[in-house]
Amino acid sequence: MKKLFFLMVACAIATTASAQFVNSGSASSAKSGAGLSAMSTDDYNRFYVGYNPMKINWEDHQSKLEESYPLTQSLTVGYLHASSLSSNIPLFLEYGANFQYSFGKEKEDGDEWGINVYSVNVPVNLAFKLQFNDVALTPYVGANFRVNAAGTYKYEYEDWDGETETEKINLFDDSDADDAMGDNAAKRFQAGINVGVGFSYKALYLGVGYVSDFSKVFDADEMEGKVGMTTLTVGINF
């Protein structure tokens, strides 16, 4: 939540600075007006890849469950389109989709366990693009919708004979979850708040953001958890 708070503050500062620039431009000379008009309101597109440190924020027993369900990082690849909302103000509606592979593992006393999840995210953001020549700063805020297509929990251990045994559990199958995790199948759909800021130089895009889910990925007795995820993005605008 601290990361989300600081990102929201950064976006608010950037947006306020943008608004002040717009207001001062309209009240100043023709030269300032020309600078404002140079801010493109054309639609844009972006291909991007991302690395996302993440974790499940549990309502109780955080350290124990975080170790048991080590979902710690993910990789994404996606596409985004931004539609202009005004011919005079660089305000955009951004939307698109990305494929996400999330994973993590732990090891102790020869035993090893981990999680792999395959998901599709659909972000929908309101963005303000403050541009000066080849450089642009784009704060955004919106919503993120995630559909988990597949996921497994893998556990490797040594049996009494010293042989390595492997168990794989479908995280989203009720019967698997009931047998191995006490009626705690994961949820396939999550929705959350999406906030961040992007920096562009010509076609190159760098972004940092945070996604905080408000729907649970696990929702069972004493096992209620939501995903929190930092997004670090590199992309190409066109």
Side-chain angles (χ1 to χ4, degrees):
M1 291 303 295
K2 290 183 178 179
K3 294 179 181 178
L4 177 60
F5 173 76
F6 285 123
L7 281 168
M8 292 182 71
V9 170
C11 289
I13 292 172
T15 304
T16 301
S18 302
Q20 290 176 345
F21 178 83
V22 171
N23 291 334
S24 63
S26 62
S28 62
S29 65
K31 183 176 180 180
S32 298
L36 176 60
S37 65
M39 293 187 187
S40 174
T41 58
D42 295 337
D43 294 2
Y44 57 88
N45 302 276
R46 180 181 306 133
F47 284 118
Y48 61 91
V49 296
Y51 170 69
N52 314 302
M54 62 191 301
K55 69 176 182 178
I56 301 174
N57 296 308
W58 300 96
E59 292 192 5
D60 297 297
H61 315 296
Q62 177 67 36
S63 59
K64 179 179 179 180
L65 290 175
E66 189 174 344
E67 182 179 1
S68 299
Y69 294 84
L71 197 65
T72 57
Q73 52 199 319
S74 71
L75 303 174
T76 55
V77 56
Y79 165 78
L80 177 144
H81 175 76
S83 296
S84 176
L85 298 178
S86 171
S87 59
N88 299 316
I89 300 174
L91 187 66
F92 298 87
L93 181 67
E94 295 183 337
Y95 51 91
N98 66 69
F99 172 77
Q100 179 177 356
Y101 169 55
S102 306
F103 56 96
K105 65 180 180 180
E106 290 283 348
K107 189 173 183 179
E108 183 178 355
D109 297 331
D111 295 347
E112 184 173 296
W113 60 96
I115 296 180
N116 295 275
V117 180
Y118 302 87
S119 312
V120 175
N121 291 275
V122 177
V124 181
N125 302 318
L126 189 65
F128 192 95
K129 185 179 180 182
L130 180 61
Q131 183 169 353
F132 298 98
N133 299 321
D134 293 332
V135 177
L137 185 69
T138 311
Y140 63 85
V141 63
N144 185 75
F145 305 96
R146 183 184 308 108
V147 177
N148 300 311
T152 57
Y153 189 102
K154 183 179 178 181
Y155 180 52
E156 294 183 354
Y157 62 96
E158 290 186 2
D159 62 16
W160 292 106
D161 297 324
E163 300 292 332
T164 300
E165 299 288 342
T166 301
E167 292 185 15
K168 287 187 178 181
I169 302 162
N170 184 342
L171 287 170
F172 304 100
D173 184 274
D174 288 334
S175 59
D176 268 11
D178 184 49
D179 291 340
M181 294 187 290
D183 193 23
N184 193 41
K187 306 300 181 182
R188 289 193 180 272
F189 176 79
Q190 284 87 50
I193 298 172
N194 193 29
V195 61
V197 62
F199 172 83
S200 297
Y201 175 71
K202 296 184 177 179
L204 177 64
Y205 175 86
L206 303 174
V208 58
Y210 192 76
V211 178
S212 179
D213 286 354
F214 50 75
S215 56
K216 300 173 182 177
V217 64
F218 287 102
D219 188 9
D221 291 342
E222 297 189 12
M223 290 190 67
E224 300 180 5
K226 303 174 184 179
V227 173
M229 178 173 63
T230 300
T231 59
L232 306 173
T233 306
V234 178
I236 298 295
N237 296 324
F238 61 97

